[in-house]
Amino acid sequence: MSQESRIDQRYQATQKATLVGVGVNIILALSQLIGGFITQSQALVADGFHTLSDLVTDFVVLIAAKMASKDPDDDHPYGHERIETIATVVLGLALGGVGIGIALNAVDRLQNPERLLQPGVWAIALAVLGVVCKEGLYRYTYKLGKKYNSSLLKANAIHHRSDAISSVMVAIGVSASVIFSIPWLDALAAIAVAVMIFYMGAKLILDSAMELVDTAWESDKVEEMLTLIRGISGVQSAHMLRTRKMSANVLVDVHIEVSPHISVSEGHHIAERVMAKLKKAYDEVSDIMVHIDPEDDETAAPSRFLPDRNNIMKQIQPVLDECGLEGAINNIVLHYLDGQIEVELDLTKPIDQSTLIQLTQQCTAIEGIRTVQAKQCLTIEN
């Protein structure tokens, strides 16, 4: 499946799950708020406002999912999926804000006992209804998030799970307050809800921040990828494998060492096979950059300061003319290895031993050149 298809499916799943959440949250919020006021349960009213805030974050999810599903463009060549990450941060901030607001209100009531409310028995039923609805949304949303590997859906599912846990605390607090006729238990339950909500929000923000600073993929996955790459025909070794997550996708770049004496096209073909095998093995991998090395350059690059082809050819050409090889050269290949240059001459005609010795002696006297190999090049066409 192409990356574009996966992004489109993830958007459709996100839209579907979020609209289901909107419908459930509207009904539940109205039930909790109206029921909380009627039964005089502060914790239930707090949970109702919490549910109401979910509607705002649901629309944030919808907008972010739509924007993240856009195709790459000139300004965003890697796509727009970082928008999902930013939206997850917004979800975390919203959760944190709701948690702080609920806690401050509950603390204020505890400090002013005359403002404490005694919940009625129907508050228990409404609190239990909140638990059932929120847990159902969590299971439904997380299942889709896992299926389509959507960090935004998973974040929203965690949001629902935090709601379910807070509703459990509300149910416990309300039940205890009703059964034992202790009003401050209801307020205490509201504070417990606030703490849990704030924790979930902080975790979402931290996880998203780690992604925004290009945190690497799981170490065991990286090791698996290195093992896979090293087993591909033509790859002598692999190093400097770097990964970074972008929403549900993973970006990869890696250096592979190949024989220094193969052609550029063969090296490119090996790199293409590396990319194809990685994308086949890991659906999360959306973009791969493969750097071809003729030698291990992880710790040093000894050939970096050697002269380029133009400078070398200016020095080699007079030697070729002096040896009578003008017009007899089909191709000259330069190998930059271990801080020196190996020269391969493809000749259109054979040369005698004395000419070869003269050619070798004069070329290796040029700074940077280690060896010279001359051979007659024969072309056989199919």
Side-chain angles (χ1 to χ4, degrees):
M1 185 186 298
S2 68
Q3 181 186 356
E4 289 77 14
S5 297
R6 288 198 300 272
I7 293 173
D8 184 61
Q9 284 189 355
R10 195 159 59 242
Y11 168 64
Q12 296 296 334
T14 302
Q15 185 182 48
K16 180 181 178 182
T18 307
L19 289 175
V20 169
V22 167
V24 172
N25 282 331
I26 288 175
I27 296 172
L28 185 59
L30 290 174
S31 301
Q32 289 173 323
L33 289 171
I34 295 172
F37 281 115
I38 293 174
T39 60
Q40 299 188 66
S41 171
Q42 180 190 359
L44 197 57
V45 171
D47 209 25
F49 278 113
H50 182 195
T51 303
L52 200 60
S53 72
D54 293 343
L55 291 173
V56 177
T57 57
D58 283 340
F59 285 111
V60 169
V61 169
L62 279 175
I63 295 170
K66 178 64 176 177
M67 296 178 68
S69 67
K70 291 181 179 179
D71 293 332
D73 53 36
D74 291 340
D75 292 329
H76 306 89
Y78 289 97
H80 299 76
E81 291 177 86
R82 288 278 195 217
I83 294 173
E84 283 197 10
T85 309
I86 296 171
T88 304
V89 173
V90 173
L91 287 177
L93 290 171
L95 278 173
V98 169
I100 292 172
I102 292 173
L104 290 175
N105 183 266
V107 169
D108 179 62
R109 288 183 181 271
L110 285 174
Q111 291 175 338
N112 299 276
E114 69 278 2
R115 296 183 59 198
L116 289 174
L117 303 174
Q118 177 59 57
V121 68
W122 281 103
I124 299 176
L126 290 171
V128 172
L129 175 64
V131 174
V132 173
C133 291
K134 293 297 185 179
E135 182 64 19
L137 282 176
Y138 163 75
R139 293 179 181 274
Y140 173 69
T141 307
Y142 192 81
K143 182 179 179 180
L144 286 179
K146 190 173 182 181
K147 180 179 179 180
Y148 295 103
N149 196 25
S150 169
S151 60
L152 188 57
L153 271 178
K154 289 178 182 177
N156 210 25
I158 292 173
H159 192 174
H160 292 317
R161 169 53 66 86
S162 74
D163 296 344
I165 294 173
S166 68
S167 294
V168 168
M169 293 180 178
V170 169
I172 293 173
V174 169
S175 299
S177 182
V178 171
I179 294 170
F180 300 107
S181 298
I182 304 176
W184 57 263
L185 286 176
D186 185 66
L188 200 62
I191 293 176
V193 169
V195 172
M196 182 59 66
I197 293 171
F198 185 84
Y199 169 78
M200 292 292 186
K203 189 175 186 305
L204 286 179
I205 293 171
L206 179 61
D207 290 345
S208 298
M210 294 301 290
E211 183 178 320
L212 288 172
V213 296
D214 289 338
T215 300
W217 209 13
E218 290 85 351
S219 58
D220 58 331
K221 293 285 189 180
V222 174
E223 288 301 321
E224 285 179 10
M225 294 175 76
L226 275 173
T227 301
L228 174 63
I229 295 170
R230 288 165 178 159
I232 296 174
S233 175
V235 177
Q236 295 183 343
S237 69
H239 56 276
M240 293 176 68
L241 173 59
R242 297 181 296 180
T243 60
R244 52 195 171 102
K245 296 197 298 185
M246 186 173 74
S247 185
N249 294 332
V250 177
L251 309 182
V252 179
D253 58 84
V254 62
H255 287 226
I256 63 171
E257 186 178 347
V258 300
S259 169
H261 298 288
I262 64 174
S263 65
V264 172
S265 59
E266 185 178 354
H268 176 74
H269 181 65
I270 294 172
E272 290 282 353
R273 291 210 315 274
V274 169
M275 290 188 285
K277 285 188 175 292
L278 285 179
K279 287 189 175 182
K280 183 178 180 180
Y282 302 98
D283 289 337
E284 301 92 337
V285 174
S286 62
D287 187 84
I288 307 166
M289 175 68 70
V290 181
H291 182 89
I292 304 295
D293 290 331
E295 58 187 357
D296 189 350
D297 65 350
E298 185 171 10
T299 57
S303 302
R304 178 183 302 168
F305 301 107
L306 291 173
D308 60 18
R309 169 176 281 270
N310 287 336
N311 288 321
I312 288 295
M313 290 306 301
K314 288 178 181 179
Q315 299 178 73
I316 289 180
Q317 192 60 52
V319 177
L320 297 176
D321 296 342
E322 184 178 336
C323 293
L325 296 176
E326 183 179 1
I329 304 296
N330 182 63
N331 189 33
I332 298 177
V333 180
L334 304 179
H335 297 287
Y336 288 78
L337 298 171
D338 196 26
Q340 292 182 297
I341 302 172
E342 297 178 2
V343 181
E344 283 185 12
L345 302 176
D346 289 336
L347 306 177
T348 58
K349 64 180 182 181
I351 60 174
D352 56 47
Q353 187 66 23
S354 61
T355 302
L356 179 59
I357 293 174
Q358 179 187 359
L359 176 65
T360 301
Q361 288 177 343
Q362 292 191 34
C363 283
T364 53
I366 298 173
E367 185 178 358
I369 296 180
R370 175 169 53 194
T371 62
V372 177
Q373 181 181 7
K375 58 184 179 181
Q376 186 176 1
C377 180
L378 300 176
T379 301
I380 301 176
E381 295 183 0
N382 186 1

